[in-house]
Structures are given as structure tokens and as C-alpha cells.
């Protein structure tokens, strides 16, 4: 069922550079139907349109610190870009020991697990945990967040991105190229999740502060939460 060529390799450097130029903003806006609906990421990037993947990566990368676990990592591009960005910085050692994890081997040297009910890592062993565009795809999402809380160090950071439920349901019906078309879809997967649901799940797992912001014209959401230093 899996197709190892599903993820489209490295996004071009210009697509990750922020802030975008005014010209790129205007071009992305004019090309919104192509980059948001009709074409896969790598084709948009060839047309110099910012792909949705590059939009996600560029909001998450600057927030990562220390040793990172990226859950639902796909081809492990986030961790690979993070490692490169950290060369010569205070995060270099942590970045080298950072990991991607997935239930499907998409070919990026991720840790492969059956599900996220129990993650194969020690308590308080990561500084950052990312769940980028995947919490909806994880049926065991309550356990995945509880495990994230367990393996995060005190003061560690949880980063989640998620599209809304309606846009996700419409989108997944149209996105002929999305990764869920190349693997078995599990019972309990959702095609998007509303922000209140995501915030409630994150808080329910024990995280203290949850800051929410939006990107891609308000259609995608970023959640940044902390594991309190007071956690017993
Ligand atoms: C939409 S892709 C996102 C990939 C990557 N994070 C990105 O932003 O490009 C969703 C990912 O979630 C993974 N996934 C699906 N079910 C999962 C589960 N139960 N636990 C962990 N990852 C899962 C899929 O294999 C896929 O790589």
C-alpha cells in the first residue's frame, strides 16, 4: 500500500525563507487555488509557489530547540532541516540526536512504531516534540499526547499544527495526491480538527500554557504548549 516516493524530497531554500517578499506574497495569493487544492507540493515548488509543506515547515522550524522528536514525521524532512539549521549553534548536539517517528516507513530513517500508545523513549528525554499535520491521523491521539508529556523534559515544548475540520474534510476529498491515499487509513482517523478540540486535548494531557496562532490565510493553526517546570 505504501509508496516510498510519496513525499517529494527537499523543499527549495527560497520557499522556507521568511519574511516572504511582497512579490512572493502576491504570487502565492494568485496561485492559491493551485497550491492549496490542485497541485502536489513539489509541483507548486517548481512553479515557485510556496507549498503547504513549506508553509508548515517555516512556522515550526524556528520554534524547535534542543533534542526533538517529530511524531508523524513522514519522510523526516523537518528533523533533517533542523539538523542542518543547527550546525554551529547551541542546539547542534541536541539536533544530532533528534528523531522522527511514524507508523509507515516513508524512507526517511524514522523510528517506526505500530502506534503511539507507548513511545520507545525514556521519561523527560526530549526538549521539543512536534506533531505537524498529523494529530488528526493518529487515532490514539490522547495516548500520543500523554506520552509526549511523559517524554518531554520539564519546561519542554510541544508544537502542533492542524487544519480545521471542515477545510480538512473538503481538502482530503479533493487532494488526489495526499499521503493517506498511499496507505491504509485507520478507524478513528479524522481529516482535520477544530482548534478547540486540539486545545482541549493538549490541556487534557497536562500541558500548561497553550498559545494558538494561524497561518495560510487563517486556514491552518499552530499550537505551542509547555510542560510546566512544576510538574511532579
Ligand atoms: C499529513 S502527513 C504529515 C507528515 C509530516 N509531518 C508533514 O508535515 O509533512 C501525516 C503523517 O502521519 C503519519 N501517521 C498516520 N497514523 C499515525 C499514527 N498512528 N502515529 C504516528 N503517525 C501516524 C502518516 O504516516 C504520515 O506520515
Amino acid at each position: 500500500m505504501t509508496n516510498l516516493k510519496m513525499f517529494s524530497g527537499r523543499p527549495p531554500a527560497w520557499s522556507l525563507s521568511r519574511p516572504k517578499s511582497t512579490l512572493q506574497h502576491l504570487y502565492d495569493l494568485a496561485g492559491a487555488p493551485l497550491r492549496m487544492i490542485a497541485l502536489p507540493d513539489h509541483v507548486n515548488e517548481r512553479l515557485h509557489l510556496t507549498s503547504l509543506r513549506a508553509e508548515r515547515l517555516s512556522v515550526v522550524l524556528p520554534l524547535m530547540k534542543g533534542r526533538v522528536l517529530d511524531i508523524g514525521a513522514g519522510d523526516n524532512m523537518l528533523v533533517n532541516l533542523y539538523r542542518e539549521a543547527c550546525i554551529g549553534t547551541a542546539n547542534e548536539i541536541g539536533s544530532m540526536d533528534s528523531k522522527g517517528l511514524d507508523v509507515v516507513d516513508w524512507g526517511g530513517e524514522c523510528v517506526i512504531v505500530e502506534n503511539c500508545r507507548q513511545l520507545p523513549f525514556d521519561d523527560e528525554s526530549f526538549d521539543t516534540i512536534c506533531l505537524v499535520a498529523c494529530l488528526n491521523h493518529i487515532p490514539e491521539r490522547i495516548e500520543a499526547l500523554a506520552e509526549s508529556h511523559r517524554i518531554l523534559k520539564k519546561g519542554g515544548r510541544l508544537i502542533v499544527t492542524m487544519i480545521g475540520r471542515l477545510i480538512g474534510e473538503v481538502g482530503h476529498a479533493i487532494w488526489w495526491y495526499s499521503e493517506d491515499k498511499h496507505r491504509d487509513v485507520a478507524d478513528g482517523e479524522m481529516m482535520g480538527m477544530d482548534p478547540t478540540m486540539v486545545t482541549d486535548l493538549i490541556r487534557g494531557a497536562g500541558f500548561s500554557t497553550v498559545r494558538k496562532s494561524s497561518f495560510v490565510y487563517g486556514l491552518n493553526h499552530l499550537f505551542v504548549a509547555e510542560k510546566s517546570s512544576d510538574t511532579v
Side-chain angles (χ1 to χ4, degrees), residues 2 6-7 41 52-53 56-57 70-78 101-106 110 113-117 119 130-141 144 161 172 178-180 183-184 186 189:
T2 61
M6 166 56 224
F7 287 90
D41 290 332
L52 296 185
R53 167 182 70 157
R56 293 194 294 277
L57 290 166
D70 183 26
I71 298 177
D75 61 352
N76 219 5
M77 187 54 63
L78 180 66
L101 174 143
D102 209 298
V103 292
V104 177
D105 187 354
W106 298 105
C110 284
V113 294
E114 220 167 275
N115 56 57
C116 293
R117 288 185 202 290
L119 298 177
C130 301
L131 288 131
V132 180
C134 67
L135 193 59
N136 55 325
H137 291 294
I138 303 178
E140 66 286 6
R141 54 189 72 86
T161 75
H172 279 90
S178 63
E179 57 77 39
D180 52 290
R183 62 173 171 81
D184 296 318
E189 281 193 49

Side-chain angles (χ1 to χ4, degrees), residues 53-73:
R53 167 182 70 157
E55 298 279 17
R56 293 194 294 277
L57 290 166
S58 64
V59 295
V60 172
L61 272 165
L63 299 171
M64 295 159 69
K65 58 175 184 174
R67 185 179 186 226
V68 172
L69 175 66
D70 183 26
I71 298 177

Side-chain angles (χ1 to χ4, degrees), residues 69-91:
L69 175 66
D70 183 26
I71 298 177
D75 61 352
N76 219 5
M77 187 54 63
L78 180 66
V79 165
N80 285 329
L81 291 170
Y82 175 63
R83 286 192 188 122
E84 284 171 26
C86 287
I87 292 170
T89 74
N91 282 320

